Amino acid sequence: MTISGKARLAGVIGWPVAHSLSPRLHGYWLSTLSVDGMYVPMAVQPGDLAAVLRTLPKMGFRGVNLTVPHKEAALGAVDEVGATARRLGAANTIVVDDDGRLHASNTDGFGFIENLRQSAPGLDLRAAPAVVIGAGGAARAIVAALSDAGCPDIRLVNRTRDRAEALAGDLGGPIEIVDWPARADCLCDAGLLVNTTSLGMIGQPPLDLSLDKLDPGTLVTDIVYAPLETGLLVAARARGNPVVDGLGMLLHQARPGFEAWFGVRPEVTDELRHHVLAGLGRRSP
């Protein structure tokens, strides 16, 4: 890959940012697609975010991704906020237009749905209820995406009911709040089970959830990708349920930004998965 004086620039802003897999992900696309461009990690303290974003056009950047803790604060530092980002109260992608204006969007829900479409093409989200565990930022994006996709009933389960009620109140739609002690009972007749929490991630406690009442055909997915197969996915696979890991959501959510910044539409392939997983010191099965 050759970088010229006309190279397109993009990157990821976070604090910290060294853990981000985005440079490895976008770097793979830049190389394999022979794009004259560069994607760089930028560690930016919260108090400096607005100033850094305003500097992007002056430095020739086409845009950036945002990771914690900047996703919410960025909404007040851009010129235009897309409908999905405004609805979710958070942005993960900023595009700088030809006039130097900053446009914020949120592609997390897109990444979630596209991961399911690629990994489980036979899944009909309109056919059965979905159970969503957690009520944080990821859950907000996923619940909104499921609602937009026509899911008839979204059963939202969280250890703190108040937080689940706040999410439901903000988003509206076919959301049913389920108390934590009833989490196993609400799995009956569900077509999809989603864990959006960090439970099951390396260094975190496992997700305590019995799958005894889960239909054998119900798809189980987890947004965690370290480990690639969480305890939830291992348990679901052992009883015969189809499973989808969380890595694909990360990969697919990156596609709209890359296309906007570099002018090329990338694809999520097995080779890309292998490359990104190598950055975690793991190999896909």
CSV table of all heavy atoms in Angstrom, one decimal, residues 128-135 139 143-144 146-147 151-194:
chain,number,residue,atom,x,y,z
A,128,ALA,N,-41.2,-13.8,15.1
A,128,ALA,CA,-41.3,-14.2,16.5
A,128,ALA,C,-40.7,-13.1,17.4
A,128,ALA,O,-40.0,-12.3,16.9
A,128,ALA,CB,-40.6,-15.5,16.7
A,129,PRO,N,-41.0,-13.2,18.7
A,129,PRO,CA,-40.4,-12.2,19.6
A,129,PRO,C,-38.9,-12.4,19.7
A,129,PRO,O,-38.3,-13.4,19.4
A,129,PRO,CB,-41.1,-12.6,21.0
A,129,PRO,CG,-42.3,-13.4,20.6
A,129,PRO,CD,-42.0,-14.1,19.3
A,130,ALA,N,-38.3,-11.3,20.2
A,130,ALA,CA,-36.8,-11.3,20.5
A,130,ALA,C,-36.6,-11.0,21.9
A,130,ALA,O,-37.4,-10.1,22.5
A,130,ALA,CB,-36.1,-10.3,19.6
A,131,VAL,N,-35.7,-11.6,22.6
A,131,VAL,CA,-35.3,-11.3,24.0
A,131,VAL,C,-33.9,-10.6,23.9
A,131,VAL,O,-33.0,-11.2,23.4
A,131,VAL,CB,-35.2,-12.6,24.8
A,131,VAL,CG1,-34.8,-12.3,26.2
A,131,VAL,CG2,-36.6,-13.3,24.8
A,132,VAL,N,-33.9,-9.5,24.5
A,132,VAL,CA,-32.6,-8.7,24.6
A,132,VAL,C,-32.2,-8.5,26.0
A,132,VAL,O,-33.0,-8.0,26.9
A,132,VAL,CB,-32.8,-7.3,23.9
A,132,VAL,CG1,-31.6,-6.5,24.1
A,132,VAL,CG2,-33.2,-7.4,22.5
A,133,ILE,N,-31.0,-9.0,26.3
A,133,ILE,CA,-30.5,-8.9,27.7
A,133,ILE,C,-29.6,-7.7,27.8
A,133,ILE,O,-28.6,-7.5,27.0
A,133,ILE,CB,-29.6,-10.1,28.1
A,133,ILE,CG1,-30.4,-11.4,27.8
A,133,ILE,CG2,-29.2,-10.1,29.5
A,133,ILE,CD1,-31.6,-11.6,28.6
A,134,GLY,N,-29.9,-6.7,28.7
A,134,GLY,CA,-29.1,-5.5,28.9
A,134,GLY,C,-29.9,-4.3,28.4
A,134,GLY,O,-30.8,-4.4,27.6
A,135,ALA,N,-29.5,-3.1,29.0
A,135,ALA,CA,-30.2,-1.9,28.6
A,135,ALA,C,-29.2,-0.7,28.5
A,135,ALA,O,-29.5,0.4,28.7
A,135,ALA,CB,-31.2,-1.6,29.7
A,139,ALA,N,-27.5,-2.1,23.7
A,139,ALA,CA,-28.9,-2.6,23.7
A,139,ALA,C,-29.8,-1.5,23.0
A,139,ALA,O,-30.8,-1.9,22.3
A,139,ALA,CB,-29.4,-2.8,25.1
A,143,VAL,N,-32.1,-2.7,20.0
A,143,VAL,CA,-33.6,-2.7,20.2
A,143,VAL,C,-34.2,-1.8,19.1
A,143,VAL,O,-35.2,-2.1,18.5
A,143,VAL,CB,-34.0,-2.1,21.6
A,143,VAL,CG1,-35.5,-1.8,21.6
A,143,VAL,CG2,-33.7,-3.2,22.6
A,144,ALA,N,-33.6,-0.6,18.8
A,144,ALA,CA,-34.1,0.2,17.8
A,144,ALA,C,-34.1,-0.5,16.4
A,144,ALA,O,-35.0,-0.4,15.6
A,144,ALA,CB,-33.3,1.5,17.7
A,146,LEU,N,-34.1,-3.7,15.8
A,146,LEU,CA,-35.0,-4.8,15.8
A,146,LEU,C,-36.4,-4.3,15.5
A,146,LEU,O,-37.2,-4.8,14.8
A,146,LEU,CB,-35.0,-5.6,17.1
A,146,LEU,CG,-33.8,-6.5,17.3
A,146,LEU,CD1,-33.8,-7.1,18.7
A,146,LEU,CD2,-33.7,-7.6,16.2
A,147,SER,N,-36.8,-3.2,16.2
A,147,SER,CA,-38.1,-2.5,16.0
A,147,SER,C,-38.2,-2.1,14.6
A,147,SER,O,-39.3,-2.3,14.0
A,147,SER,CB,-38.2,-1.3,17.0
A,147,SER,OG,-39.5,-0.7,16.8
A,151,CYS,N,-39.7,-6.5,14.2
A,151,CYS,CA,-39.8,-7.5,15.2
A,151,CYS,C,-41.1,-7.2,16.0
A,151,CYS,O,-41.3,-6.1,16.5
A,151,CYS,CB,-38.6,-7.5,16.2
A,151,CYS,SG,-38.7,-8.7,17.4
A,152,PRO,N,-42.0,-8.2,16.2
A,152,PRO,CA,-43.3,-7.9,16.8
A,152,PRO,C,-43.3,-7.7,18.3
A,152,PRO,O,-44.3,-7.1,18.8
A,152,PRO,CB,-44.1,-9.2,16.4
A,152,PRO,CG,-43.1,-10.3,16.3
A,152,PRO,CD,-41.9,-9.6,15.7
A,153,ASP,N,-42.3,-8.2,19.0
A,153,ASP,CA,-42.3,-8.2,20.4
A,153,ASP,C,-40.9,-8.2,20.9
A,153,ASP,O,-40.2,-9.2,20.6
A,153,ASP,CB,-43.1,-9.3,21.0
A,153,ASP,CG,-43.1,-9.3,22.5
A,153,ASP,OD1,-42.8,-8.3,23.1
A,153,ASP,OD2,-43.4,-10.4,23.1
A,154,ILE,N,-40.4,-7.2,21.6
A,154,ILE,CA,-39.0,-7.2,22.1
A,154,ILE,C,-39.1,-7.2,23.6
A,154,ILE,O,-39.5,-6.3,24.2
A,154,ILE,CB,-38.3,-5.9,21.6
A,154,ILE,CG1,-38.3,-5.8,20.1
A,154,ILE,CG2,-36.8,-5.9,22.1
A,154,ILE,CD1,-37.8,-4.5,19.5
A,155,ARG,N,-38.6,-8.3,24.1
A,155,ARG,CA,-38.6,-8.5,25.6
A,155,ARG,C,-37.3,-8.0,26.1
A,155,ARG,O,-36.3,-8.7,25.9
A,155,ARG,CB,-38.9,-10.0,25.9
A,155,ARG,CG,-40.3,-10.4,25.4
A,155,ARG,CD,-40.4,-11.9,25.4
A,155,ARG,NE,-41.7,-12.3,24.8
A,155,ARG,CZ,-42.0,-13.6,24.5
A,155,ARG,NH1,-41.2,-14.6,24.8
A,155,ARG,NH2,-43.2,-13.8,23.9
A,156,LEU,N,-37.3,-6.9,26.9
A,156,LEU,CA,-36.1,-6.3,27.3
A,156,LEU,C,-35.9,-6.7,28.8
A,156,LEU,O,-36.7,-6.4,29.7
A,156,LEU,CB,-36.2,-4.8,27.2
A,156,LEU,CG,-35.0,-4.0,27.6
A,156,LEU,CD1,-33.8,-4.3,26.7
A,156,LEU,CD2,-35.3,-2.5,27.4
A,157,VAL,N,-34.7,-7.3,29.0
A,157,VAL,CA,-34.4,-7.8,30.4
A,157,VAL,C,-33.2,-7.1,30.9
A,157,VAL,O,-32.1,-7.2,30.2
A,157,VAL,CB,-34.2,-9.4,30.3
A,157,VAL,CG1,-34.0,-9.9,31.7
A,157,VAL,CG2,-35.3,-10.1,29.6
A,158,ASN,N,-33.3,-6.6,32.1
A,158,ASN,CA,-32.1,-5.9,32.7
A,158,ASN,C,-32.1,-6.1,34.2
A,158,ASN,O,-33.2,-6.1,34.8
A,158,ASN,CB,-32.1,-4.4,32.3
A,158,ASN,CG,-30.7,-3.8,32.6
A,158,ASN,OD1,-29.7,-4.2,32.1
A,158,ASN,ND2,-30.7,-2.7,33.4
A,159,ARG,N,-30.9,-6.1,34.8
A,159,ARG,CA,-30.9,-6.3,36.2
A,159,ARG,C,-31.5,-5.1,36.9
A,159,ARG,O,-32.1,-5.3,38.0
A,159,ARG,CB,-29.4,-6.5,36.7
A,159,ARG,CG,-28.9,-7.9,36.3
A,159,ARG,CD,-27.4,-8.0,36.6
A,159,ARG,NE,-26.6,-7.2,35.8
A,159,ARG,CZ,-25.3,-7.2,35.8
A,159,ARG,NH1,-24.6,-8.0,36.6
A,159,ARG,NH2,-24.6,-6.4,34.9
A,160,THR,N,-31.4,-3.9,36.3
A,160,THR,CA,-32.1,-2.7,36.9
A,160,THR,C,-33.3,-2.4,36.1
A,160,THR,O,-33.1,-1.9,34.9
A,160,THR,CB,-31.1,-1.6,37.0
A,160,THR,OG1,-29.9,-1.9,37.7
A,160,THR,CG2,-31.7,-0.3,37.6
A,161,ARG,N,-34.5,-2.5,36.6
A,161,ARG,CA,-35.7,-2.3,35.8
A,161,ARG,C,-35.8,-0.8,35.4
A,161,ARG,O,-36.2,-0.5,34.2
A,161,ARG,CB,-36.9,-2.7,36.6
A,161,ARG,CG,-38.2,-2.5,35.8
A,161,ARG,CD,-39.4,-2.9,36.6
A,161,ARG,NE,-40.6,-2.7,35.9
A,161,ARG,CZ,-41.2,-3.6,35.1
A,161,ARG,NH1,-40.7,-4.8,34.9
A,161,ARG,NH2,-42.3,-3.3,34.4
A,162,ASP,N,-35.4,0.1,36.2
A,162,ASP,CA,-35.5,1.5,35.9
A,162,ASP,C,-34.8,1.9,34.6
A,162,ASP,O,-35.3,2.7,33.8
A,162,ASP,CB,-34.9,2.4,37.0
A,162,ASP,CG,-35.8,2.4,38.2
A,162,ASP,OD1,-37.0,1.9,38.2
A,162,ASP,OD2,-35.4,2.9,39.3
A,163,ARG,N,-33.6,1.3,34.4
A,163,ARG,CA,-32.8,1.6,33.2
A,163,ARG,C,-33.5,1.0,31.9
A,163,ARG,O,-33.6,1.6,30.9
A,163,ARG,CB,-31.4,1.0,33.3
A,163,ARG,CG,-30.5,1.5,32.2
A,163,ARG,CD,-29.1,1.1,32.5
A,163,ARG,NE,-28.1,1.8,31.6
A,163,ARG,CZ,-26.8,1.5,31.6
A,163,ARG,NH1,-26.3,0.7,32.4
A,163,ARG,NH2,-26.1,2.2,30.7
A,164,ALA,N,-34.1,-0.2,32.1
A,164,ALA,CA,-34.9,-0.7,31.0
A,164,ALA,C,-36.1,0.1,30.6
A,164,ALA,O,-36.4,0.3,29.5
A,164,ALA,CB,-35.3,-2.2,31.3
A,165,GLU,N,-36.8,0.6,31.7
A,165,GLU,CA,-37.9,1.4,31.4
A,165,GLU,C,-37.6,2.8,30.7
A,165,GLU,O,-38.3,3.3,29.9
A,165,GLU,CB,-38.7,1.7,32.7
A,165,GLU,CG,-39.3,0.5,33.3
A,165,GLU,CD,-40.0,0.7,34.7
A,165,GLU,OE1,-39.6,1.8,35.3
A,165,GLU,OE2,-40.9,0.0,35.1
A,166,ALA,N,-36.4,3.3,31.1
A,166,ALA,CA,-35.9,4.5,30.5
A,166,ALA,C,-35.6,4.3,29.0
A,166,ALA,O,-36.0,5.1,28.1
A,166,ALA,CB,-34.7,5.0,31.2
A,167,LEU,N,-35.0,3.2,28.7
A,167,LEU,CA,-34.7,2.8,27.3
A,167,LEU,C,-36.1,2.7,26.5
A,167,LEU,O,-36.2,3.3,25.4
A,167,LEU,CB,-33.9,1.6,27.2
A,167,LEU,CG,-33.4,1.1,25.8
A,167,LEU,CD1,-32.2,0.2,26.0
A,167,LEU,CD2,-34.4,0.4,25.0
A,168,ALA,N,-37.0,2.0,27.1
A,168,ALA,CA,-38.3,1.8,26.4
A,168,ALA,C,-39.0,3.1,26.2
A,168,ALA,O,-39.6,3.3,25.2
A,168,ALA,CB,-39.1,0.8,27.2
A,169,GLY,N,-38.9,3.9,27.2
A,169,GLY,CA,-39.6,5.2,27.1
A,169,GLY,C,-39.0,6.1,26.0
A,169,GLY,O,-39.7,6.9,25.3
A,170,ASP,N,-37.7,6.0,25.9
A,170,ASP,CA,-37.0,6.8,24.9
A,170,ASP,C,-37.3,6.4,23.4
A,170,ASP,O,-37.5,7.2,22.5
A,170,ASP,CB,-35.5,6.8,25.1
A,170,ASP,CG,-35.1,7.6,26.3
A,170,ASP,OD1,-35.9,8.4,26.8
A,170,ASP,OD2,-34.0,7.4,26.8
A,171,LEU,N,-37.3,5.0,23.3
A,171,LEU,CA,-37.4,4.5,21.9
A,171,LEU,C,-38.8,4.2,21.5
A,171,LEU,O,-39.2,4.3,20.3
A,171,LEU,CB,-36.6,3.2,21.8
A,171,LEU,CG,-35.1,3.3,22.0
A,171,LEU,CD1,-34.4,2.0,21.8
A,171,LEU,CD2,-34.5,4.4,21.0
A,172,GLY,N,-39.7,3.8,22.4
A,172,GLY,CA,-41.0,3.4,22.0
A,172,GLY,C,-41.0,2.1,21.3
A,172,GLY,O,-40.0,1.4,21.3
A,173,GLY,N,-42.1,1.7,20.6
A,173,GLY,CA,-42.1,0.5,19.9
A,173,GLY,C,-42.6,-0.7,20.7
A,173,GLY,O,-43.0,-0.5,21.9
A,174,PRO,N,-42.5,-1.9,20.2
A,174,PRO,CA,-43.1,-3.1,20.8
A,174,PRO,C,-42.2,-3.7,21.9
A,174,PRO,O,-41.7,-4.8,21.8
A,174,PRO,CB,-43.2,-4.0,19.6
A,174,PRO,CG,-42.1,-3.7,18.8
A,174,PRO,CD,-41.9,-2.2,18.9
A,175,ILE,N,-41.9,-2.9,22.9
A,175,ILE,CA,-40.9,-3.3,24.0
A,175,ILE,C,-41.7,-3.7,25.2
A,175,ILE,O,-42.5,-2.9,25.7
A,175,ILE,CB,-39.9,-2.2,24.3
A,175,ILE,CG1,-39.2,-1.7,23.0
A,175,ILE,CG2,-39.0,-2.6,25.4
A,175,ILE,CD1,-38.3,-0.5,23.3
A,176,GLU,N,-41.4,-4.9,25.7
A,176,GLU,CA,-42.0,-5.4,26.9
A,176,GLU,C,-40.9,-5.5,28.0
A,176,GLU,O,-39.9,-6.2,27.7
A,176,GLU,CB,-42.6,-6.7,26.7
A,176,GLU,CG,-43.1,-7.4,27.9
A,176,GLU,CD,-43.6,-8.9,27.7
A,176,GLU,OE1,-43.6,-9.3,26.5
A,176,GLU,OE2,-43.9,-9.6,28.6
A,177,ILE,N,-41.0,-4.9,29.1
A,177,ILE,CA,-40.0,-5.0,30.2
A,177,ILE,C,-40.2,-6.3,31.0
A,177,ILE,O,-41.3,-6.6,31.4
A,177,ILE,CB,-40.1,-3.8,31.1
A,177,ILE,CG1,-40.0,-2.5,30.4
A,177,ILE,CG2,-38.9,-3.9,32.2
A,177,ILE,CD1,-38.8,-2.3,29.6
A,178,VAL,N,-39.1,-7.0,31.1
A,178,VAL,CA,-39.1,-8.3,31.9
A,178,VAL,C,-38.2,-8.2,33.1
A,178,VAL,O,-37.0,-7.8,32.9
A,178,VAL,CB,-38.7,-9.5,31.0
A,178,VAL,CG1,-38.7,-10.8,31.8
A,178,VAL,CG2,-39.7,-9.6,29.8
A,179,ASP,N,-38.7,-8.4,34.3
A,179,ASP,CA,-37.8,-8.4,35.5
A,179,ASP,C,-36.8,-9.4,35.4
A,179,ASP,O,-37.0,-10.5,34.9
A,179,ASP,CB,-38.7,-8.5,36.7
A,179,ASP,CG,-39.5,-7.3,37.0
A,179,ASP,OD1,-39.1,-6.2,36.7
A,179,ASP,OD2,-40.7,-7.4,37.5
A,180,TRP,N,-35.6,-9.1,36.0
A,180,TRP,CA,-34.5,-10.0,36.0
A,180,TRP,C,-34.8,-11.4,36.4
A,180,TRP,O,-34.4,-12.4,35.8
A,180,TRP,CB,-33.3,-9.4,36.7
A,180,TRP,CG,-32.0,-10.2,36.6
A,180,TRP,CD1,-31.4,-10.9,37.6
A,180,TRP,CD2,-31.2,-10.2,35.4
A,180,TRP,NE1,-30.2,-11.4,37.1
A,180,TRP,CE2,-30.0,-11.0,35.8
A,180,TRP,CE3,-31.2,-9.7,34.2
A,180,TRP,CZ2,-29.0,-11.3,34.9
A,180,TRP,CZ3,-30.2,-10.0,33.3
A,180,TRP,CH2,-29.1,-10.8,33.6
A,181,PRO,N,-35.5,-11.6,37.6
A,181,PRO,CA,-35.8,-13.0,38.0
A,181,PRO,C,-36.6,-13.8,37.0
A,181,PRO,O,-36.6,-15.0,37.1
A,181,PRO,CB,-36.6,-12.8,39.3
A,181,PRO,CG,-36.1,-11.4,39.8
A,181,PRO,CD,-36.0,-10.6,38.5
A,182,ALA,N,-37.3,-13.2,36.1
A,182,ALA,CA,-38.1,-13.9,35.1
A,182,ALA,C,-37.4,-14.1,33.8
A,182,ALA,O,-38.1,-14.4,32.8
A,182,ALA,CB,-39.4,-13.1,34.9
A,183,ARG,N,-36.1,-13.8,33.7
A,183,ARG,CA,-35.4,-13.8,32.5
A,183,ARG,C,-35.5,-15.2,31.7
A,183,ARG,O,-35.5,-15.2,30.5
A,183,ARG,CB,-33.9,-13.4,32.7
A,183,ARG,CG,-33.1,-14.3,33.6
A,183,ARG,CD,-31.8,-13.6,34.0
A,183,ARG,NE,-31.0,-14.4,34.8
A,183,ARG,CZ,-31.1,-14.5,36.2
A,183,ARG,NH1,-32.1,-13.9,36.7
A,183,ARG,NH2,-30.3,-15.3,36.9
A,184,ALA,N,-35.4,-16.3,32.5
A,184,ALA,CA,-35.5,-17.6,31.8
A,184,ALA,C,-36.9,-17.9,31.3
A,184,ALA,O,-37.0,-18.6,30.3
A,184,ALA,CB,-35.0,-18.7,32.8
A,185,ASP,N,-37.9,-17.4,32.0
A,185,ASP,CA,-39.3,-17.8,31.6
A,185,ASP,C,-39.7,-17.1,30.3
A,185,ASP,O,-40.5,-17.6,29.6
A,185,ASP,CB,-40.2,-17.4,32.8
A,185,ASP,CG,-40.0,-18.1,34.0
A,185,ASP,OD1,-39.6,-19.3,33.9
A,185,ASP,OD2,-40.2,-17.6,35.1
A,186,CYS,N,-39.1,-15.9,30.0
A,186,CYS,CA,-39.5,-15.2,28.9
A,186,CYS,C,-38.9,-15.7,27.6
A,186,CYS,O,-39.2,-15.1,26.5
A,186,CYS,CB,-39.2,-13.7,29.0
A,186,CYS,SG,-37.5,-13.2,28.8
A,187,LEU,N,-38.1,-16.8,27.7
A,187,LEU,CA,-37.5,-17.3,26.4
A,187,LEU,C,-38.4,-18.2,25.6
A,187,LEU,O,-38.2,-18.4,24.4
A,187,LEU,CB,-36.3,-18.2,26.8
A,187,LEU,CG,-35.1,-17.4,27.6
A,187,LEU,CD1,-34.0,-18.4,27.9
A,187,LEU,CD2,-34.6,-16.3,26.8
A,188,CYS,N,-39.5,-18.6,26.2
A,188,CYS,CA,-40.5,-19.4,25.5
A,188,CYS,C,-41.0,-18.7,24.2
A,188,CYS,O,-41.3,-17.5,24.3
A,188,CYS,CB,-41.7,-19.7,26.4
A,188,CYS,SG,-41.3,-20.7,27.8
A,189,ASP,N,-41.0,-19.3,23.1
A,189,ASP,CA,-41.5,-18.9,21.8
A,189,ASP,C,-40.7,-17.8,21.2
A,189,ASP,O,-41.1,-17.2,20.2
A,189,ASP,CB,-43.0,-18.5,21.9
A,189,ASP,CG,-43.3,-17.2,22.5
A,189,ASP,OD1,-42.4,-16.5,23.0
A,189,ASP,OD2,-44.5,-16.8,22.5
A,190,ALA,N,-39.5,-17.4,21.8
A,190,ALA,CA,-38.7,-16.4,21.2
A,190,ALA,C,-38.0,-17.0,19.9
A,190,ALA,O,-37.6,-18.1,19.9
A,190,ALA,CB,-37.6,-15.9,22.2
A,191,GLY,N,-37.8,-16.1,19.0
A,191,GLY,CA,-37.1,-16.5,17.8
A,191,GLY,C,-35.6,-16.0,17.8
A,191,GLY,O,-34.8,-16.5,17.0
A,192,LEU,N,-35.3,-15.1,18.7
A,192,LEU,CA,-34.0,-14.6,18.8
A,192,LEU,C,-33.6,-14.2,20.3
A,192,LEU,O,-34.5,-13.7,21.0
A,192,LEU,CB,-33.9,-13.3,18.0
A,192,LEU,CG,-32.5,-12.5,18.0
A,192,LEU,CD1,-31.4,-13.3,17.4
A,192,LEU,CD2,-32.7,-11.2,17.3
A,193,LEU,N,-32.4,-14.6,20.7
A,193,LEU,CA,-31.9,-14.2,22.0
A,193,LEU,C,-30.6,-13.4,21.8
A,193,LEU,O,-29.7,-14.0,21.2
A,193,LEU,CB,-31.7,-15.4,22.9
A,193,LEU,CG,-30.9,-15.2,24.2
A,193,LEU,CD1,-31.7,-14.2,25.1
A,193,LEU,CD2,-30.7,-16.5,24.9
A,194,VAL,N,-30.5,-12.2,22.4
A,194,VAL,CA,-29.4,-11.4,22.2
A,194,VAL,C,-28.8,-11.0,23.6
A,194,VAL,O,-29.6,-10.4,24.4
A,194,VAL,CB,-29.7,-10.1,21.4
A,194,VAL,CG1,-28.4,-9.3,21.1
A,194,VAL,CG2,-30.5,-10.4,20.2
